[in-house]
Amino acid sequence: MIVVLSIVLPFLAAALIPFIYSRFKKVHLGWFVLVVPVVLFSILATYIPRVANGEVFVKTFEWIPSFGINITTYLDGLSMIFSLLITGVGSLVILYSIFYLSTKESLHHFYCYLLLFMGAMLGVVLSDNLMVLYVFWELTSVSSFLLIAFWHHRKASRAGARKAMTITVSGGVAMLAGFLMLYVASGTFSIREIVANLDVVQSSAYFVPAMCLVLLGAFTKSAQFPFHIWLPDAMEAPTPVSAYLHSATMVKAGIYLVARTTPIFGGHEVWFWAVSGVGLLTLFWGSFNAVKQFDLKALLAYSTISQLGLIMCLFGLGSAALHSGYSTESVIYTQATFAALFHLINHSTFKGALFMMVGIVDHEVGTRDIRRLGGLMSLMPFTFTIAVIGSASMAGLPPFNGFLSKEMFFTATLKITELDLFSLNSIGVLFPIIAWVASIFTFIYCVIIVMRTFFGKIQPDRLEKPPHEAPFGMLISPYILIAFVVGIFIFPNVLGHYILSPAMASIYPMFPSVEDMTPHIAAWHGYINTELIMTAGVILLGVLLYRVLKKWRPIYQLIPPSFTLNALYERVITSSENVSGRATNRYMNGNLTYYFVYIYVFFVALLAGYMIYADAFSWNPSKDSVIEPYELVLVFVMIMAAVAIIFAKQRITVVLLNGVLGYSVAFFFVVFRAPDLALTQLVVESVTTALFLLSFKYLPKLKNEYISKSWRFAKITISIAVGATVTLIGLAVMNYDRFEPISKYFEDSYNLAGGQNIVNTILGDFRAFDTMLEVVVLFIAGLGIYTLIKLKAKKGDADVESK
Amino acid sequence: MESLMIVLVGILVAVATYLILSRSVIRVIVGTAILSHAVHLLLLTVGGLKKGSVPLLGQAAAPFTDALPQALILTAIVISFAVTAFLLVLAYRMYLMNGTDDLEELGGSSDE
């Protein structure tokens, strides 16, 4: 029940915000909002001991039971980590935003979006039903879109929001398709039930496609290569948003999804290589690109991408343990997953603090450009402390938590090379090498953050405001996070035992014991091992490379600007717009004749094509009635009149020839024993001809149409093709005798309807509805004609129609 | 006879198509009129021709010609008449407003 509350409460609070905002204008709205995550965090924290004992909390509410879509909340170790992060970092971010955003901003929008996001994010991590998870997943995309474009008067904000929306929603839709495949394969939307019926799912043909689609969703959301391009642009959002969404929570939704579906897909070779390979590539590419950034937030964005790649890679490595089931050897590889979860928490602490630090610098100095910053150490000592601790932790230095997770990461990459699986024995050696190189770059950009911002000479003329220390309130949140950075280093096993090991149980549900999978984390192993040497190498080479940064910086210009992923993305978007625009303009040219051509060509292609395909053209004249000479004459007259209309130069000729056709039809009705039809046709034809003649005075003369030879040829071809199609289909269906006609029934019209004229009884009695509506048609046509002639725009408002 | 009628229908359809594809609105309207003639004849033909006497009880003896297609055609004649008349007046009004009956000149409003 409490778990459901934690999803619903943020939404409820978001709905209440306008009322609170209008009632309490004087108090910063953030103070009210702060209550929500704090309450949720405290409630969830009380569950920690029970979850640590292996308890799970499930509650189901029916939503669309006929489709198996129910709101099932599910709190286990894995959900616990994420929901604690969401509410915990959420509280700190809201506290920070109270001091960051002035009351002049439209705060009610900001907090409404933020609460929506929080609720959606809690929904993602606490849902057991795939469809419900998807709903919340898209809600995070939407609320993130709203938050990125919070300052919507700026062009860059709108562009960043649109890009983030496009990429994450495309991934989300792919994920939806993957979920549906999982449903088809397993027959249930519940993740727990899918895990329970793993054999059925894994033997399904949908298994690998579903895996790839789900991964696409996870990779786009978590900014993995090559979908990472939205994250740096999303830095246009207010800094509390960047700290919350784009470092601690939303970008980890993809990670959550990978962790949550590891019991389903893990152990498969494709999964292993996709997750760990893409993660490794992202790790390297993000850290490599972070070094060249001048904007502190862009630098942090690339560092987030890189760290997410690290976590992703670790989850991939950890999934190898599932391949051969539980054994003492395979348990070793679960250490990678443990490291991933550990780094996930560490990253949220130090990256949140670093974003808040950048926000403080931006807020107090007026710029985030490292070329204009420098020498702030003595002016902003508290902020400087945050930067040093956060960066050191990110770089993986003791005595901070980043050191522990980086060591565990190196251990995992070294261990995986020993695995004789997935052709790892040949190319597995790449893992530690790339990881090590990426760590060097990580070290370099961490040094850049600290050195370029706080050391060197201050440039007061290039700063917008005179620098000074931030207000106390702004420093609270980053200091709490910094406290965690240090605290986790000192007491890593408290975290490991209470938070991480129950999550391990969620990822490896079929492994018998959690104890085996929970290592004892120690900062100092008492001896020098390979990982420590690697770290030493990172520091040594990092310092060296930072010293000579100016010398090798030009390598970033090796990639021409038109070949970057961003340029590629822009080109794909603009060219698809251009191509579709051109195509539409080409075939929708506004000329009726062209549309007729499309219709006829499709008509012929479809009908004649199908008849040829089905070999259905046949002709059986054996039941034909005999041809009398006068009928032959009538046919001849009609053909002549019809062909002559085409060549007629005068309007009068056209109308009279049309009359000839109409009267010939009437004669045919006489010949074919249809007196009522003949009567009607004669009258109607007379009236039509009269109408044509009447409108003569008002209509223009026929012009000679000067048309090109090819167009005339096309017209003739199309006309003949249409005529031939109709003829051939007519010949094929003529003399149809598979069923008796129902007309025998109508022939009893005298007894049934009291009439001797069968046609009239059909019209007036048997099928009188047709007649009634036909009368309505005539009535409407009459009204229409009347209004067309009578109603005209009055003088002075002649432009009615083009308005 | 049926085969011959269907060939005639095909020729009428071809002529109507050719007219509908022209640029002058009047030719298009005449084309639709011819198309409706063709369809009426087709309806009658596939119902079977001269397979009996006039469908009037008391006037002739059974077998009668199929009366159902005749009823359908009667409805269709009236409807096509209404549509043709409306189209004609629409063409008149259009000519009044735009000063041309050339579909190519009428075609395509500038991008809204």
Side-chain angles (χ1 to χ4, degrees):
Chain A
M1 194 60 222
I2 298 294
V3 182
V4 181
L5 182 79
S6 58
I7 300 176
V8 175
L9 191 66
F11 289 109
L12 268 181
L16 284 176
I17 276 194
F19 303 106
I20 301 173
Y21 183 67
S22 58
R23 185 66 62 86
F24 305 97
K25 278 262 159 73
K26 286 196 183 127
V27 189
H28 197 286
L29 189 58
W31 291 113
F32 297 101
V33 178
L34 185 59
V35 176
V36 176
V38 170
V39 165
L40 291 180
F41 184 82
S42 344
I43 293 173
L44 284 166
T46 59
Y47 279 74
I48 293 176
R50 286 153 78 191
V51 171
N53 279 338
E55 272 185 69
V56 293
F57 300 89
V58 189
K59 186 95 186 159
T60 301
F61 293 88
E62 289 200 338
W63 182 18
I64 313 172
S66 53
F67 286 102
I69 300 173
N70 293 313
I71 299 176
T72 305
T73 58
Y74 180 58
L75 182 69
D76 64 348
L78 190 61
S79 320
M80 192 57 151
I81 292 185
F82 281 89
S83 43
L84 284 178
L85 275 181
I86 293 160
T87 49
V89 181
S91 318
L92 297 177
V93 161
I94 289 172
L95 181 64
Y96 175 77
S97 71
I98 292 171
F99 297 95
Y100 187 85
L101 294 170
S102 83
T103 40
K104 282 177 199 137
E105 305 274 3
S106 58
L107 290 177
H108 50 309
H109 287 125
F110 181 80
Y111 287 113
C112 185
Y113 301 156
L114 203 67
L115 282 172
L116 265 183
F117 171 78
M118 190 183 289
M121 199 64 209
L122 284 168
V124 167
V125 300
L126 291 172
S127 291
D128 176 55
N129 194 290
L130 287 173
M131 283 298 113
V132 178
L133 194 155
Y134 173 73
V135 168
F136 286 121
W137 184 278
E138 292 299 17
L139 259 177
T140 64
S141 292
V142 171
S143 48
S144 151
F145 169 80
L146 292 168
L147 282 167
I148 295 170
F150 177 63
W151 289 312
H152 48 76
H153 49 86
R154 296 202 310 214
K155 198 175 167 218
S157 296
R158 298 197 301 271
R162 199 172 54 202
K163 193 173 188 178
M165 184 79 167
T166 312
I167 294 179
T168 51
V169 169
S170 340
V173 173
M175 187 185 82
L176 175 66
F179 284 174
L180 291 174
M181 285 182 179
L182 274 181
Y183 177 71
V184 172
S186 68
T188 172
F189 278 126
S190 161
I191 299 172
R192 281 170 306 133
E193 285 172 30
I194 292 175
V195 173
N197 298 316
L198 219 47
D199 303 343
V200 187
V201 183
Q202 281 175 345
S203 58
S204 159
Y206 290 118
F207 185 63
V208 174
M211 176 196 295
C212 296
L213 288 168
V214 169
L215 274 184
L216 211 56
F219 286 169
T220 50
K221 199 75 162 183
S222 283
Q224 298 296 298
F225 187 88
F227 310 112
H228 63 274
I229 49 175
W230 67 266
L231 190 61
D233 287 12
M235 290 301 132
E236 293 298 329
T239 303
V241 173
S242 309
Y244 188 38
L245 273 70
H246 305 129
S247 71
T249 51
M250 187 176 91
V251 287
K252 291 187 175 130
I255 305 254
Y256 168 78
L257 187 71
V258 166
R260 185 52 94 197
T261 49
T262 293
I264 304 171
F265 299 119
H268 197 279
E269 189 174 357
V270 175
W271 177 268
F272 176 84
W273 279 112
V275 177
S276 60
V278 170
L280 199 66
L281 184 60
T282 314
L283 164 64
F284 170 74
W285 191 247
S287 61
F288 178 69
N289 274 297
V291 175
K292 76 167 179 184
Q293 303 302 323
F294 291 118
D295 181 355
L296 276 178
K297 270 178 97 176
L299 196 155
L300 286 182
Y302 275 105
S303 101
T304 303
I305 292 168
S306 159
Q307 304 280 312
L308 291 170
L310 190 158
I311 300 171
M312 198 64 99
C313 177
L314 280 171
F315 272 116
L317 299 180
S319 74
L322 283 164
H323 182 74
S324 44
Y326 180 78
S327 64
T328 39
E329 286 113 57
S330 65
V331 159
I332 293 170
Y333 299 105
T334 63
Q335 299 311 304
T337 309
F338 190 84
L341 292 168
F342 189 52
H343 193 65
L344 180 88
I345 294 174
N346 294 345
H347 176 249
S348 298
T349 56
F350 63 69
K351 191 54 66 67
L354 283 174
F355 265 111
M356 291 175 184
M357 179 277 291
V358 171
I360 291 170
V361 170
D362 192 11
H363 202 263
E364 305 307 329
V365 173
T367 183
R368 307 188 302 249
D369 193 327
I370 55 172
R371 287 167 299 191
R372 294 162 70 185
L373 291 169
L376 294 176
M377 179 171 64
S378 53
L379 294 160
M380 306 170 78
F382 291 104
T383 318
F384 169 68
T385 316
I386 304 167
V388 168
I389 296 179
S391 307
S393 179
M394 184 154 71
L397 301 181
F400 306 111
N401 57 5
F403 171 71
L404 301 177
S405 40
K406 185 138 292 182
E407 295 289 285
M408 288 161 80
F409 173 53
F410 284 152
T411 315
T413 54
L414 288 170
K415 264 282 180 296
I416 208 75
T417 54
E418 296 162 15
L419 191 63
D420 189 18
L421 201 70
F422 306 148
S423 56
L424 269 169
N425 42 8
S426 50
I427 49 176
V429 72
L430 279 176
F431 277 103
I433 293 175
I434 297 177
W436 188 66
V437 173
S439 296
I440 295 173
F441 281 111
T442 308
F443 186 85
I444 295 171
Y445 70 68
C446 291
V447 175
I448 288 177
I449 293 175
V450 177
M451 298 300 280
R452 299 291 297 266
T453 316
F454 294 96
F455 287 87
K457 269 180 68 181
I458 188 159
Q459 311 167 40
D461 48 324
R462 300 183 74 179
L463 303 176
E464 281 165 26
K465 303 174 192 166
H468 57 87
E469 187 53 89
F472 174 70
M474 241 178 174
L475 291 168
I476 302 172
S477 300
Y479 266 91
I480 294 174
L481 287 170
I482 291 295
F484 271 106
V485 169
V486 181
I488 292 174
F489 177 79
I490 301 170
F491 308 108
N493 293 308
V494 178
L495 185 75
H497 181 72
Y498 282 102
I499 310 277
L500 300 184
S501 64
M504 294 297 283
S506 327
I507 296 173
Y508 300 101
M510 47 295 241
F511 283 23
S513 156
V514 186
E515 295 302 315
D516 293 359
M517 296 189 285
T518 314
H520 184 77
I521 312 167
W524 175 246
H525 298 274
Y527 50 88
I528 310 278
N529 53 13
T530 324
E531 293 88 331
L532 209 59
I533 295 168
M534 281 170 82
T535 306
V538 165
I539 298 169
L540 220 64
L541 264 171
V543 171
L544 199 69
L545 281 172
Y546 175 74
R547 284 283 169 112
V548 292
L549 181 61
K550 283 215 173 72
K551 294 232 171 65
W552 57 273
R553 204 180 178 98
I555 61 159
Y556 286 107
Q557 271 126 41
L558 287 182
I559 306 171
S562 57
F563 275 89
T564 58
L565 283 165
N566 257 323
L568 206 71
Y569 170 83
E570 294 297 337
R571 219 175 309 149
V572 167
I573 295 284
T574 45
S575 67
S576 63
E577 277 172 6
N578 288 343
V579 166
S580 60
R582 266 203 302 270
T584 312
N585 283 339
R586 175 159 286 227
Y587 77 84
M588 300 230 323
N589 58 3
N591 194 335
L592 185 68
T593 315
Y594 281 86
Y595 303 151
F596 275 133
V597 169
Y598 307 146
I599 294 170
Y600 283 129
V601 167
F602 271 100
F603 170 79
V604 171
L606 206 68
L607 288 182
Y610 178 73
M611 295 294 274
I612 290 168
Y613 169 76
D615 197 19
F617 284 126
S618 63
W619 181 39
N620 175 24
S622 59
K623 284 187 189 162
D624 274 15
S625 47
V626 284
I627 302 172
E628 307 282 347
Y630 55 90
E631 294 168 348
L632 213 55
V633 171
L634 264 180
V635 169
F636 183 71
V637 166
M638 280 194 83
I639 292 175
M640 287 327 274
V643 175
I645 287 181
I646 293 175
F647 297 103
K649 295 270 187 287
Q650 304 277 318
R651 317 177 270 179
I652 191 99
T653 330
V654 173
V655 172
L656 290 181
L657 285 171
N658 184 43
V660 169
L661 283 178
Y663 288 120
S664 314
V665 171
F667 283 125
F668 270 122
F669 288 153
V670 172
V671 171
F672 297 140
R673 328 261 203 271
D676 303 281
L677 289 187
L679 213 60
T680 317
Q681 178 68 25
L682 279 174
V683 174
V684 162
E685 201 50 47
S686 306
V687 176
T688 311
T689 310
L691 254 180
F692 267 112
L693 292 173
L694 248 176
S695 56
F696 238 66
K697 197 178 148 204
Y698 305 102
L699 287 175
K701 289 206 168 89
L702 278 185
K703 281 186 288 189
N704 272 334
E705 293 179 6
Y706 297 106
I707 56 174
S708 64
K709 263 193 181 144
S710 58
W711 174 223
R712 184 186 294 275
F713 177 73
K715 264 172 80 172
I716 292 172
T717 318
I718 292 168
S719 312
I720 291 176
V722 172
T725 308
V726 171
T727 312
L728 290 173
I729 293 175
L731 289 175
V733 302
M734 162 190 95
N735 292 331
Y736 176 85
D737 56 359
R738 200 159 295 171
F739 299 103
E740 276 293 303
I742 57 166
S743 300
K744 280 275 173 283
Y745 173 76
F746 297 122
E747 284 168 13
D748 195 18
S749 68
Y750 189 74
N751 290 329
L752 289 170
Q756 295 199 318
N757 184 333
I758 302 176
V759 176
N760 278 358
T761 51
I762 292 176
L763 287 171
D765 293 280
F766 296 114
R767 297 178 57 91
F769 261 119
D770 288 0
T771 315
M772 185 183 82
L773 294 175
E774 157 202 342
V775 170
V776 172
V777 168
L778 211 55
F779 176 69
I780 291 172
L783 269 185
I785 289 168
Y786 179 80
T787 49
L788 271 180
I789 292 174
K790 280 285 173 188
L791 295 187
K792 280 176 193 162
K794 292 192 188 89
K795 269 182 192 170
D797 48 22
D799 213 17
V800 176
E801 270 151 26
S802 58
K803 260 181 191 165
Chain B
M1 191 64 216
E2 277 88 342
S3 308
L4 186 65
M5 287 304 290
I6 283 172
V7 172
L8 174 63
V9 165
I11 290 168
L12 288 181
V13 168
V15 169
T17 308
Y18 188 86
L19 287 174
I20 286 173
L21 289 178
S22 31
R23 283 165 57 178
S24 142
V25 171
I26 299 180
R27 281 206 175 90
V28 174
I29 295 173
V30 173
T32 58
I34 295 175
L35 199 60
S36 56
H37 288 325
V39 172
H40 299 158
L41 285 182
L42 186 68
L43 271 175
L44 198 69
T45 309
V46 294
L49 295 174
K50 297 195 279 185
K51 297 272 155 68
S53 49
V54 178
L56 291 171
L57 302 175
Q59 300 290 313
F64 298 106
T65 304
D66 197 339
L68 190 60
Q70 295 191 9
L72 297 182
I73 293 166
L74 201 60
T75 312
I77 288 174
V78 177
I79 290 174
S80 65
F81 164 67
V83 172
T84 306
F86 184 76
L87 279 182
L88 213 55
V89 175
L90 197 62
Y92 154 71
R93 184 66 194 265
M94 187 197 76
Y95 179 63
L96 212 63
M97 301 298 299
N98 297 300
T100 178
D101 74 327
D102 190 327
L103 282 177
E104 210 149 287
E105 284 171 34
L106 288 165
S109 50
S110 53
D111 278 343
E112 274 116 278

